Amino acid sequence: MMPSPKRLVILGATGSIGLNCLRCVTENPDLFRIVGLSTHHQVDLLLQQCATHKPQYAAVSGRMVSPVELLQFEQMKISLFTGAQALTDLVNAAEGDMLVNAVVGAAGFLPTLAAIELGRDIALANKETLVIGGELVMNLAAKKGIHILPIDSEHSAVFQCLMGEDPQSIEAIILTASGGPFRSLPKSEFKNVTVERALAHPNWRMGKKITIDSATMMNKGFEVIEACRLFGVRADQVRVIIHPQSIIHSMVEFKEGSIKAQMGVPDMRIPIQLALTWPRRVAADFPRLDFNVLKELTFELPDMAKFRCLVLAYQALAEGGTAPAVLNAANEIAVQRFLSRSIRFDQIETLVQAALETHKNRQHPQAEELVEADLWARSFAENFSPHSTGILT
Ligand code: NDP
Ligand code: MG
């Protein structure tokens, strides 16, 4: 007998990951049913998605909805949530089996906690959730007995390498990184990096924020924290290695010296589909790795003097408490300011470092303290003038 379809709520349905999730749902109509979808601004696209997938609930978190748009939701008999609490309201209202969290930034944190409280499994793209409050999230997930399935390609790789393994047998997790567009660019050139160049990632097509995070390597720093939280390992067990081809998505080294790697073409649909269909693997016609074409797999150590954001992430992880939430929020604002050309590319790390140095850490924070630290860091980052620090000329 066919199992009943998995009921999904997708937050961030109009983004890069959200769109790929919906493609996967469209390809597998018997496996999934959409019960809720959200967007921040793209109401037209959300309405199209609603017409196709017929959810009972929708949310628009980032702008007012016009009377004409509202009428269209009403005609489809969709209950709509708007405003700052819209995502959490949607999670609380929709009876789903799984929350797919594909929003970008700290906005994903509280809705994830709400979904775990309700006993929903989580397919998690929103790594910021685990950076901000990973310990809280994982403890609650364990208490509620729910599964967190990583969508991030590196963590999906580690998750797959660990299938059937005893977590105690992990020696190290080796996260691969493409190195982004500036792997070979001298640090002295970072101050001249334009928004357009920073947005041109060599291997992946993604939303703007994660693309900039990849260029600074803050993304890899976040992924180190994400790996510690998801797999319960210490920071010194997580290593980063540059692998420009992005074919090996990450590796696990075991205690006797054996290493497992997970490979494939760089296509986010593969880890997305696995997170949605787990524990099953479902046939798909995604592109295959062609060993006749593949010429080489190369590796090098990351340049920690150049990519200071990666170092800052390790520091925030070591500090613990509210430091990773500050790292995340300061970075979010720094990236926005870079994209709006109010700071330079090389000043992203300056700003984040200043926020970490200024902030007063609180250990073992609850959700409210994490939200407070996030708000403090946002305000610090918005008012920060990189020229007044003396760090940069
Ligand atoms: P996008 O910018 O493409 O999409 C983000 C989605 O979230 C959109 O639906 C957007 O709405 C919505 N959104 C944006 N800001 C807010 C907010 N403040 N509150 C609520 N919703 C918001 O991002 P990606 O899909 O690239 O990334 C999503 C997450 O997945 C990120 O955490 C990223 O780090 C992670 N990830 C992404 C990968 C990728 O390949 N793209 C790979 C691995 C991880 P709107 O459309 O209106 O802007
Ligand atoms: Mg990744």
Side-chain angles (χ1 to χ4, degrees):
M1 205 179 74
M2 285 283 289
S4 49
K6 217 179 250 183
R7 296 166 303 169
L8 305 180
V9 172
I10 304 182
L11 303 183
T14 51
S16 162
I17 295 285
L19 290 171
N20 277 322
C21 284
L22 285 173
R23 280 191 198 114
C24 178
V25 168
T26 306
E27 289 293 316
N28 297 282
D30 299 338
L31 297 185
F32 305 108
R33 191 153 66 76
I34 299 292
V35 291
L37 293 173
S38 91
T39 188
H40 203 46
H41 292 118
Q42 297 194 68
V43 180
D44 279 354
L45 180 53
L46 181 70
L47 280 164
Q48 285 171 32
Q49 293 176 338
C50 287
T52 307
H53 296 283
K54 304 191 171 26
Q56 292 152 279
Y57 301 94
V60 177
S61 47
R63 74 160 172 85
M64 303 285 282
V65 177
S66 73
V68 175
E69 290 165 342
L70 197 57
L71 186 65
Q72 294 181 66
F73 285 106
E74 279 171 13
Q75 283 168 345
M76 289 191 274
K77 299 195 169 39
I78 292 171
S79 308
L80 182 69
F81 298 100
T82 56
Q85 302 288 322
L87 300 189
T88 305
D89 291 343
L90 168 61
V91 166
N92 284 326
E95 280 204 20
D97 300 305
M98 174 179 260
L99 173 74
V100 184
N101 188 340
V103 306
V104 60
F109 175 54
L110 293 177
T112 308
L113 281 181
I116 300 173
E117 277 289 354
L118 290 168
R120 316 274 193 255
D121 284 341
I122 312 284
L124 190 65
N126 179 255
K127 62 190 82 186
E128 293 91 342
T129 284
L130 292 177
V131 173
I132 297 167
E135 282 169 326
L136 206 67
V137 167
M138 295 310 291
N139 287 341
L140 188 61
K143 197 169 124 200
K144 296 282 175 181
I146 62 103
H147 300 284
I148 298 191
L149 289 317
I151 285 181
D152 212 350
S153 58
E154 294 77 3
H155 304 78
S156 176
V158 172
F159 181 77
Q160 293 177 66
C161 291
L162 289 175
M163 283 176 179
E165 301 287 353
D166 175 359
Q168 299 300 322
S169 62
I170 303 172
E171 174 92 19
I173 286 177
I174 304 163
L175 296 180
T176 52
S178 70
F182 306 130
R183 182 170 60 91
S184 316
L185 190 74
K187 178 96 188 191
S188 58
E189 285 297 311
F190 273 25
K191 62 179 180 303
N192 300 321
V193 163
T194 60
V195 169
E196 292 70 25
R197 276 178 78 193
L199 284 175
H201 194 279
N203 300 355
W204 301 95
R205 293 287 149 265
M206 309 178 286
K208 282 187 180 170
K209 195 253 180 185
I210 184 176
T211 305
I212 302 302
D213 287 346
S214 302
T216 61
M217 289 198 75
M218 182 60 94
N219 181 53
K220 210 49 56 176
F222 286 166
E223 291 183 358
V224 170
I225 301 175
E226 189 184 3
C228 288
R229 301 306 184 226
L230 276 173
F231 305 112
V233 295
R234 299 182 312 272
D236 63 289
Q237 288 176 287
V238 184
R239 296 182 217 140
V240 172
I241 187 125
I242 306 280
H243 166 46
Q245 298 83 15
S246 298
I247 297 296
I248 294 183
H249 299 307
S250 278
M251 302 180 253
V252 177
E253 183 176 338
F254 294 95
K255 290 218 157 119
E256 79 288 8
S258 178
I259 294 179
K260 277 194 192 173
Q262 187 269 338
M263 305 166 75
V265 290
D267 187 326
M268 282 309 295
R269 289 175 300 174
I270 299 173
I272 288 171
Q273 175 165 309
L274 183 67
L276 298 189
T277 63
W278 183 86
R280 293 174 60 195
R281 289 191 189 266
V282 172
D285 61 358
F286 304 138
R288 299 294 144 122
L289 194 55
D290 183 348
F291 286 94
N292 290 318
V293 174
L294 186 64
K295 288 282 172 283
E296 57 176 11
L297 298 177
T298 60
F299 306 92
E300 62 196 65
L301 288 176
D303 182 344
M304 300 299 245
K306 190 159 124 179
F307 292 107
R308 295 294 301 163
C309 285
L310 183 51
V311 178
L312 293 173
Y314 271 107
Q315 278 173 7
L317 178 59
E319 228 184 277
T322 43
V326 167
L327 174 88
N328 177 69
N331 178 67
E332 237 171 83
I333 299 299
V335 170
Q336 275 173 21
R337 288 187 61 181
F338 170 65
L339 287 171
S340 62
R341 295 169 165 82
S342 107
I343 61 170
R344 297 194 312 251
F345 182 74
D346 59 322
Q347 291 169 336
I348 295 175
E349 65 182 47
T350 315
L351 190 164
V352 176
Q353 182 179 344
L356 281 172
E357 283 169 0
T358 312
H359 133 265
K360 295 197 178 32
N361 200 337
R362 287 163 90 166
Q363 291 294 327
H364 311 296
Q366 292 304 303
E368 304 75 49
E369 292 165 303
L370 291 167
V371 172
E372 238 172 70
D374 173 281
L375 291 174
W376 173 86
R378 271 165 212 277
S379 152
F380 178 90
E382 272 154 11
N383 295 311
F384 179 76
S385 165
H387 302 288
S388 63
T389 62
I391 298 174
L392 280 162
T393 54

